[in-house]
Amino acid sequence: MLKDNLEKKIKELKKKRNAVILAHNYQLPEVQDVADYRGDSLELSRIAAKTSARVIVFCGVHFMAETASILCPNKRVIMPDVNSACPMANMITAQQLRTLKMQHPKAVVVGYVNTSAEVKTELDVCCTSTNAVAVVNVFKDTKEIIFVPDKYLADYVSRKTGRRLIPWNGFCPTHIKILPSDIKREKGFHPKAKVIVHPECLPGVVSMADAVLSTSQMCKFAKETQAKEIIIGTEVGIIYRLKQDSPRKEFYPAAEAAVCPNMKRITQEKIVSALETLKEEVRVSDYIRRRARKAIDRMLEII
Ligand code: 13P
Ligand code: SF4
């Protein structure tokens, strides 16, 4: 089907199903084009929690749809491709976290939202890349803080807060593709450009940045900065939105190889099919939902 026809069909089906389409900032342009809202993990969770739509079509990776389902148990959360998974989220299981907790029985457990719902049941509080520093700062009087699963986000938060964290050995396979030599090369090509990077990047990359930001913070920064050129140290899909928001500015990917294949699985065709069949539904059991929700709610209360 032609793009125009697909977009028309999506509009009709959305109305018929009383659905809202949420898309992460890394989604393909064709998906961003039909989204009602684009955002980072935190923004999309907040939107999901507030929407009055009956159906949420989640265009992102599995843990994001799970988070929406935890926050909206009475809505039907569907993924146009349920196999869109986050490899970092799959680097820790609930059993592995329980074992780590046994080794540090007094520790507060902070977990990145990039975790499964089952892992979230073991957390004291959740965080995203937007609020990780603020969340850790709440625990001023706590001696030990476990931080899972991203060791590079843990390193960044530890530097910003001055707290020693107990990390897990997880990482994002996409962000580690961006190397310090990439930043050096791009800065050489574009000496006036500002460098913004995601905190999932390698510490050597983070230390070369003008600002370390979540994806939506990057969108805000790009709109507000006086700089005309910006080097982007994150998944390349975000550049579509940045360019739409600020057509007169130039955005250079720090590394073309920084592509998250899981974020690219969803297409307009798959959205049509999801709206027609209302599948695949992402739902967590009531037992897991109630326990995982505590950690998410605690985060939402902090920031
Ligand atoms: P953001 O919350 O910054 O969008 O990050 C999500 C993610 O998966 C980054 O790789
Ligand atoms: Fe997960 Fe990395 Fe993809 Fe984000 S970019 S969804 S952290 S694999």
Side-chain angles (χ1 to χ4, degrees):
M1 214 189 282
L2 287 171
K3 190 167 183 280
D4 282 355
N5 293 345
L6 279 167
E7 288 182 4
K8 199 164 153 249
K9 184 113 190 136
I10 290 170
K11 237 187 192 161
E12 285 165 11
L13 284 166
K14 236 175 29 173
K15 207 164 166 199
K16 182 170 158 200
R17 297 298 198 187
N18 187 7
V20 65
I21 301 180
L22 308 187
H24 187 265
N25 292 320
Y26 296 157
Q27 287 290 300
L28 288 174
E30 65 177 66
V31 173
Q32 295 195 32
D33 284 348
V34 294
D36 296 293
Y37 299 97
R38 294 182 284 191
D40 67 9
S41 322
L42 181 63
E43 286 177 329
L44 295 179
S45 312
R46 286 194 190 280
I47 293 164
K50 273 199 229 139
T51 183
S52 58
R54 211 176 53 82
V55 174
I56 297 174
V57 182
F58 213 108
C59 304
V61 287
H62 195 264
F63 76 82
M64 296 179 180
E66 257 187 355
T67 307
S69 164
I70 290 167
L71 289 167
C72 320
N74 299 325
K75 297 191 194 301
R76 194 175 175 102
V77 179
I78 52 174
M79 280 187 83
D81 188 322
V82 82
N83 294 316
S84 302
C86 168
M88 184 213 282
N90 292 337
M91 286 179 189
I92 188 163
T93 63
Q95 185 51 51
Q96 286 171 318
L97 182 51
R98 279 193 287 272
T99 305
L100 183 64
K101 282 167 67 172
M102 278 193 288
Q103 290 157 9
H104 304 277
K106 292 205 176 120
V108 162
V109 187
V110 181
Y112 197 19
V113 69
N114 296 40
T115 43
S116 67
E118 207 187 339
V119 166
K120 287 188 179 78
T121 65
E122 296 291 333
L123 305 178
D124 292 306
V125 61
C126 206
C127 72
T128 71
S129 51
T130 301
N131 58 25
V133 169
V135 168
V136 167
N137 269 331
V138 166
F139 301 99
K140 291 255 185 270
D141 303 325
T142 312
K143 276 221 171 79
E144 287 192 306
I145 302 177
I146 290 174
F147 191 101
V148 298
D150 185 0
K151 61 179 168 184
Y152 297 124
L153 180 61
D155 181 81
Y156 170 70
V157 172
S158 180
R159 280 169 204 277
K160 290 294 278 185
T161 58
R163 302 296 308 272
R164 218 168 57 83
L165 302 176
I166 301 160
W168 185 252
N169 191 23
F171 58 89
C172 164
T174 297
H175 282 84
I176 63 160
K177 289 195 176 137
I178 304 169
L179 303 175
S181 57
D182 293 318
I183 305 290
K184 196 167 167 223
R185 183 194 59 242
E186 292 305 313
K187 274 173 99 165
F189 287 149
H190 315 289
K192 288 194 182 140
K194 290 267 184 228
V195 179
I196 59 176
V197 309
H198 198 276
E200 288 173 15
C201 286
L202 296 169
V205 167
V206 166
S207 68
M208 294 169 85
D210 293 300
V212 183
L213 305 167
S214 71
T215 60
S216 287
Q217 288 172 333
M218 285 185 180
C219 296
K220 188 165 182 283
F221 177 99
K223 272 198 231 167
E224 292 173 0
T225 179
Q226 297 293 314
K228 296 276 176 289
E229 298 175 285
I230 309 172
I231 296 165
I232 305 296
T234 193
E235 211 275 348
V236 296
I238 195 173
I239 292 179
Y240 180 66
R241 176 170 174 187
L242 297 175
K243 194 74 194 156
Q244 274 187 331
D245 288 350
S246 312
R248 291 217 189 93
K249 293 182 182 168
E250 292 300 332
F251 300 98
Y252 310 113
E256 299 274 4
V259 177
C260 176
N262 283 283
M263 283 282 183
K264 309 302 180 201
R265 296 179 69 100
I266 296 170
T267 60
Q268 288 191 347
E269 263 105 351
K270 289 184 188 174
I271 294 174
V272 168
S273 159
L275 280 165
E276 275 172 345
T277 60
L278 290 182
K279 283 184 183 152
E280 293 288 327
E281 186 175 11
V282 176
R283 186 174 279 281
V284 291
S285 71
D286 275 355
Y287 177 73
I288 289 185
R289 183 179 56 76
R290 272 197 300 272
R291 296 179 64 208
R293 183 161 184 155
K294 282 191 194 147
I296 301 171
D297 281 345
R298 195 156 178 204
M299 167 185 81
L300 295 174
E301 278 159 23
I302 294 172
I303 189 156

